[in-house]
Amino acid sequence: MRPVPSWPSTPPGGAPIALPRRRAASQIALWWLMGVIGVLFALMLVAYVMRMSQGDWRPLPPVNALWVNTGVLAAACIVMQSSASQARRGELRRSRREWRLAGALALAFVVGQLWVWRDLVARRYGVSGNPANSFFFLLTGLHALHLIGGWVAWACLLPRRLTPATRARRLSLTAQYWHFLFVLWVVLFAAIVNLTPEIAQRLCGTGGLSP
């Protein structure tokens, strides 16, 4: 039997691809996965705030490269969503180009995070320097690992025997997971940039608030 070619060529305005009904099961599994990951990071953020309220917390200096990395990750999510939308409409050639670009941008984000970690270590803000350093590396490193998992899902679209419908379904699910990781990163980034020991003490009720 002749295999289904990868990314078959279709003329502009090709026929939309109907996603299979089994997408519902994979969608529910994805929701469970995102829920578990969300709870994990929520607990870690609670520990982050509680530990920050202690007197030996020394915040890290501003890391401007994180803004650049955030923009790169946002671009990766936008391009991946566009790729999924093009696949559903049957525009598989354009979807393939955007799929490749999205993967490159996601990889660029991870490389950018590695650069930030190396720069901090070179400036003597290593993991064991103080609790602020440890939590920064823990939170950003764990997020990067989950993003690498999303990149593996991206790479699973490489097989040449995927049908257009299967490819469109996987693109849609991968895009949703990447959007979730972007929102999660925005929350982590906001906590890293905006939270201070004074705010943490107030949140934990140890700041000596006057009546």
Side-chain angles (χ1 to χ4, degrees):
M1 184 174 181
R2 189 175 181 179
V4 178
S6 175
W7 300 102
S9 59
T10 56
I17 295 174
L19 297 180
R21 293 185 61 185
R22 65 177 180 178
R23 180 190 178 196
S26 56
Q27 182 70 74
I28 293 174
L30 179 61
W31 285 340
W32 273 101
L33 174 63
M34 293 189 298
V36 170
I37 295 174
V39 170
L40 171 64
F41 276 93
L43 293 174
M44 294 183 66
L45 282 174
V46 171
Y48 177 75
V49 172
M50 293 178 65
R51 189 62 184 84
M52 184 185 290
S53 65
Q54 303 301 313
D56 60 343
W57 187 274
R58 298 191 300 278
L60 288 168
V63 184
N64 295 327
L66 290 179
W67 290 96
V68 178
N69 293 348
T70 302
V72 171
L73 184 57
C77 291
I78 292 172
V79 175
M80 178 57 97
Q81 180 60 44
S82 178
S83 177
S85 299
Q86 295 297 332
R88 285 195 298 270
R89 290 196 292 266
E91 298 282 355
L92 298 181
R93 285 184 176 179
R94 182 176 176 182
S95 177
R96 181 184 184 184
R97 292 194 299 267
E98 294 178 344
W99 168 79
R100 288 175 173 173
L101 178 57
L105 289 170
L107 187 60
F109 172 82
V110 176
V111 172
Q113 295 293 77
L114 288 172
W115 185 90
V116 168
W117 301 332
R118 182 176 179 179
D119 180 65
L120 287 174
V121 172
R123 293 160 61 187
R124 300 185 183 278
Y125 291 100
V127 177
S128 59
N130 74 84
N133 300 6
S134 301
F135 266 98
F136 176 85
F137 281 94
L138 175 63
L139 292 173
T140 58
L142 193 58
H143 177 269
L145 285 177
H146 283 87
L147 186 62
I148 291 173
W151 198 85
V152 171
W154 170 91
C156 287
L157 294 167
L158 286 171
R160 293 184 174 275
R161 296 189 178 185
L162 294 177
T163 64
T166 299
R167 190 178 302 280
R169 173 174 57 86
R170 291 187 180 182
L171 270 170
S172 178
L173 294 173
T174 303
Q176 291 179 52
Y177 181 69
W178 283 25
H179 298 337
F180 167 74
L181 290 179
F182 174 70
V183 172
L184 182 59
W185 170 249
V186 170
V187 173
L188 294 177
F189 186 36
I192 292 170
V193 172
N194 296 319
L195 280 179
T196 65
E198 293 74 21
I199 295 176
Q201 289 172 3
R202 291 175 180 272
L203 291 174
C204 295
T206 60
L209 294 175
S210 57

